[in-house]
Structures are given as structure tokens and as C-alpha cells.
Amino acid sequence: MTVLRRGLIACGLALALGVSTAACGSNGDPPSTSDQTDGQVTISVMGLPPATNAESRQAFLDQVAAFEKANPDIKIKPSDAPWDVKTFAAKMAGGRAETVLKIPLTEPPGLIERKQVADITVEAKKLPEFASFDPKVMEILSSEGKVYGLPESIYALGLVYNRKLFTQAGLDPDDPPDTWEEFRHAADQIAEKTGKIGYGALTTNNSGGWHLTAMTYANGGTMQDLVDGKPTATFNNAPTLEALKLLHDMRFVDDSMGTQQLRKGEDASPAFAAGEIGMWINAPQAYNSYITLFKGDPADFGAASLPQGGGDGTLAGGTVLMVTAKASDAERAAAVKWIEYSSILPSYDTAAAVTVAKARAADKLPVGVPVLPVFDQATVDKVDAAIKPYVNVPTEQFAPYVERTKDLAFVPEPAIAAQDLYAALDPVVQAVLTNKDADPAALLAAAEDQVNAILRRQ
């Protein structure tokens, strides 16, 4: 058993997690509520890591066991089925979704509008630190004064780069690109001086549209607006065209992007850790898999803010937890209790945060990777101070991201049908990177028509 696992099931953490106060108290009785006295409640929860990630999977199962021990009237059925853009809508419509949904921040508006997720206002407002949640985050998870979800993690996209390749290319790894012009120059230098891919673009599984959206925001553009009161695609605009022209010129004029252009995150991550890619768009959290899954060298990892083209903004997203509307009252209450236990408490409770940080550090897992806070600054400062002795990441290598990103606007993902919008833009990015004669304006116009047809059906 790893230290992390031991930490997760320790009674000390269980006490800190609140839900298990009775179990670790004087008599071990579960909390007394009317739902729980009627018998055992079973809920299914997303989030179990795949079998290929054995350590994390076992840690999750140990966390489930500890929760069930502390709450003997709740049975957890973990699911390793990931959120899948191609199947999720059908899964929800068919009533086959788990009780607790772990989904991207793009999904809540549509799920709330279609009444597919439960109103958890009563349960959420009973959480001790509910009032300390960042209101900007909770706004996305609320509608008409009702709460429909809770945040797990929030990120702002930036640039992840290989410091060793920067040095070999004659670039300063402590001064990464601030603008798209500097970004293009850095990619060109890396490709020319090292023979590696200067910039590795993502183009499949909706990631091409996702990153094009981030670049558009950095250029001051929008992807979707209300026109005559109706959501309308607006990405056939100068900022998006500028982003596509940059990609085209880097690919066909500079030859700094390699020859393989069909790539998703699962392809880029190991290639970046192996030193084959100089830069790609991502958030600092990429450091976790860089170290734990792909065994990258900590000294080579660098994180910067997203290069800018006049927009002074970057795309903010994340993962949120919601409860299916099909849940009964007892299932809904159990689901919120699990969400707090598994995902939220270490973000605001210093005892829980220290237990988790201490265990992660002992297991040589990253502690201290910068994230966007889901709670107010006072809560964040309190937790940061508590876990400081266990921070084991090279924080100075994240400084360019931290220092510059704080001055950028955090622009949310498109509010309606974001994944459909991203899917429509993947072929646009692919065409621009594989056909030097592609017409970006015509491609964007066709994609905009496609997305507007989808928006009219919402």
C-alpha cells in the first residue's frame, strides 16, 4: 500500500473530511438523516482511473472503501467510463449515465437547459465553505438562483514548453514568448537548431477547435454571441483568420511544425515528455502526467501564459461534478456527500489538504502545480500556506505562467454546444495544416453554417 493510499484512508483525513465524523468519533455511527435511516443507498460515480493507470485506480478504490466505511448507508459503484463527446449525449438521453457525472465545463449550460441534471441547491448550501466558492465559477453551475453542480478543478490555457530545447535553440527558457510573433520565432528556432517539432498542434477529438478558440480569444475575438437574442456562431472573423494564417505560415513557410498534423493530447503528451516537441498549448496541470505517466525530466518542463495578439485573454475551462436528474432524493444527497469527500474538501480544509499533500509528496507525486482557485483568495492563501512544506515541483519554472496569466481575462468556453463547435472546427485546422492552398475564410464560413444549424436546434 502506498503512502498516498494510506493517507486517503487514514482516519485523520476522514475526520477532516467531515462526512466521516461519526465513523471516526466516539461510536462510529453514520450521520443521522431521514434518507439514510431507510436503508442503504447505492450511487454510481464517474472518475475511476483506467486499469492501465494501476496506482491511481487503486488509490481511487481505496478512497471509495474509506468513504463507505465512514458512511455505511452509502454504497459506491465506481465507473471508469470517461466522458466521451461522441457518446455522452446519447448516454444521458438513454438514462444510462452514472449518478455522479464528471464532465467538462462546456457541458453544464446544455444539461441544465435540458433538465438532465439535478437541482442540488439544498445539499450544496449545507457545505461548510459553500459561501467561499468563487462566484465566477459558481455562476456557470447555477441558473435562476439554483445550484446544479460543483467545481472539481479549473484551468486557464497557457503554453507548455521544453526548457532544454529552448536552450539548445539559443532561446532564453526564463523568457518564453509573450506574443504570437515571438511564439512563431521560437518554434522556427527550435525546428532549425534542434531538428525537433517547434510547435505541436492538436487537431483531432475536438482539440483543434478547442485550441483555435483559445487563440481567437488571445486575438480579441469571440466564437459565439447573441444576435437578435439567439446564440450565433461568430468565429468567421479577423481574429480567427489571423490564428489560422499563423498556423499555415508556421507549417508551410517556416516548416516548424513537423509533418504529422493529426494529433490529439494523448499523442502530444508522451512526445513532449520525450523531448520531441518544443511547445504546445496546455495548462500547467500537464506537469502531472508529464512526471507520473511519461517520466519527463522535471528540469526540462516550462509553463508560460498563452501568447497574445491583442486580446489579453485566455480560455478558461475545467472539470465539474453534477448529479443526474434521475437520482432520488436519497441518491442526490449521497452524491453531494461523495463529491465533497472526494473532490472538494482538500481545496478548503487545511487538515485535508495537508494529508493529501503529504501523501502525494511521499509517493513522489507532484505537489504545488499552479491551478486556478475555485475558492476565494483568503481560502486559497490558507491552504497554500498549510501545504507549503510539501511542495515538490520546480515552482520557478511555472513563474512565467503565474506572473503573466494573472493579468489576462479568463474567457469561458462557448456557452451553447461548445463541443459541437469544436468538432466543426477540427477539420478547418486540419485542412489549414495539410493543404497549403486551403481557403481559411471559406472553411470558416462552412463551419459557421454547420454550427448555426446546431444552435437553432438547441
Side-chain angles (χ1 to χ4, degrees):
M1 180 181 291
T2 66
V3 175
L4 173 59
R5 292 177 213 160
R6 287 197 300 271
L8 288 172
I9 64 175
C11 191
L13 173 58
L15 279 166
L17 293 175
V19 292
S20 55
T21 300
C24 291
S26 59
N27 56 17
D29 292 336
S32 176
T33 71
S34 58
D35 288 336
Q36 293 172 328
T37 56
D38 291 337
Q40 192 174 64
V41 176
T42 299
I43 59 172
S44 53
V45 303
M46 295 176 70
L48 176 65
T52 52
N53 192 350
E55 290 288 322
S56 297
R57 184 181 180 93
Q58 189 57 52
F60 188 96
L61 293 173
D62 289 342
Q63 193 177 27
V64 168
F67 178 82
E68 290 179 336
K69 183 177 181 181
N71 298 273
D73 51 355
I74 300 175
K75 177 70 175 175
I76 300 291
K77 292 176 60 179
S79 169
D80 61 4
W83 177 83
D84 186 328
V85 64
K86 297 177 181 176
T87 60
F88 182 70
K91 188 175 179 180
M92 288 295 293
R96 294 177 282 108
E98 291 80 359
T99 313
V100 176
L101 311 170
K102 180 178 179 177
I103 54 181
L105 198 56
T106 54
E107 298 304 296
L111 292 172
I112 295 171
E113 177 69 23
R114 294 191 293 273
K115 303 185 187 304
Q116 291 180 304
V117 287
D119 172 2
I120 59 170
T121 306
V122 173
E123 293 82 5
K125 290 191 173 181
K126 289 179 180 176
L127 299 177
E129 296 290 331
F130 179 78
S132 299
F133 275 118
D134 187 325
K136 291 184 295 185
V137 175
M138 292 309 299
E139 182 178 349
I140 302 171
L141 298 170
S142 303
S143 178
E144 298 179 348
K146 298 179 180 177
V147 178
Y148 290 90
L150 293 167
E152 182 187 61
S153 63
I154 304 296
Y155 67 83
L157 282 179
L159 194 65
V160 172
Y161 63 99
N162 185 302
R163 293 173 59 87
K164 183 177 181 180
L165 291 180
F166 260 57
T167 301
Q168 291 175 349
L171 302 166
D172 183 355
D174 294 324
D175 188 22
D178 277 334
T179 67
W180 292 122
E181 183 179 1
E182 294 173 355
F183 168 77
R184 178 179 176 179
H185 172 71
D188 189 35
Q189 287 294 105
I190 291 169
E192 180 181 339
K193 301 295 185 183
T194 72
K196 305 298 184 182
I197 296 171
Y199 169 56
L202 304 190
T203 59
T204 66
N205 278 25
N206 297 2
S207 58
W210 178 44
H211 281 184
L212 182 61
T213 298
M215 297 175 76
T216 299
Y217 289 169
N219 289 344
T222 62
M223 307 302 283
Q224 192 180 92
D225 280 322
L226 287 177
V227 176
D228 296 329
K230 299 178 180 177
T232 304
T234 57
F235 51 72
N236 189 11
N237 55 30
T240 310
L241 286 168
E242 290 170 10
L244 291 172
K245 184 177 188 308
L246 173 70
L247 294 175
H248 174 274
D249 290 350
M250 290 173 68
R251 169 70 177 90
F252 292 108
V253 177
D254 302 342
D255 192 20
S256 62
M257 298 179 64
T259 55
Q260 163 61 284
Q261 302 304 331
L262 297 180
R263 183 186 296 116
K264 56 184 181 297
E266 289 83 352
D267 305 316
S269 293
F272 176 71
E276 297 299 322
I277 291 177
M279 301 181 289
W280 63 306
I281 293 175
N282 209 323
Q285 288 90 328
Y287 185 80
N288 293 309
S289 60
Y290 175 85
I291 294 296
T292 60
L293 295 181
F294 305 115
K295 312 304 180 188
D297 186 340
D300 293 346
F301 189 94
S305 59
L306 190 68
Q308 294 296 300
D312 293 332
T314 185
L315 183 149
T319 303
V320 300
L321 300 158
M322 308 184 88
V323 180
T324 175
K326 294 184 178 298
S328 67
D329 290 349
E331 290 167 345
R332 188 177 65 249
V336 174
K337 185 173 286 189
W338 165 254
I339 290 171
E340 184 197 22
Y341 177 90
S342 62
S343 303
I344 295 176
L345 210 66
S347 296
Y348 73 77
D349 183 278
T350 54
V354 165
T355 301
V356 173
K358 186 176 181 180
R360 286 183 63 86
D363 270 349
K364 302 186 186 307
L365 297 175
V367 178
V369 175
V371 297
L372 292 188
V374 297
F375 287 103
D376 60 25
Q377 195 58 50
T379 304
V380 171
D381 291 344
K382 178 181 66 176
V383 170
D384 284 351
I387 68 170
K388 188 175 180 179
Y390 308 102
V391 170
N392 58 9
V393 304
T395 55
E396 68 280 1
Q397 292 166 210
F398 293 89
Y401 174 87
V402 174
E403 292 301 316
R404 299 174 187 174
T405 300
K406 68 182 181 183
D407 295 326
L408 300 178
F410 297 150
V411 187
E413 298 181 82
I416 308 297
Q419 294 297 337
D420 293 311
L421 183 150
Y422 295 159
L425 288 173
D426 266 6
V428 175
V429 178
Q430 292 166 13
V432 166
L433 291 177
T434 57
N435 178 7
K436 66 182 177 59
D437 297 321
D439 182 346
L443 292 166
L444 285 179
E448 205 171 72
D449 288 344
Q450 179 184 342
V451 173
N452 279 328
I454 294 170
L455 293 175
R456 284 194 290 272
R457 296 197 296 269
Q458 297 294 311

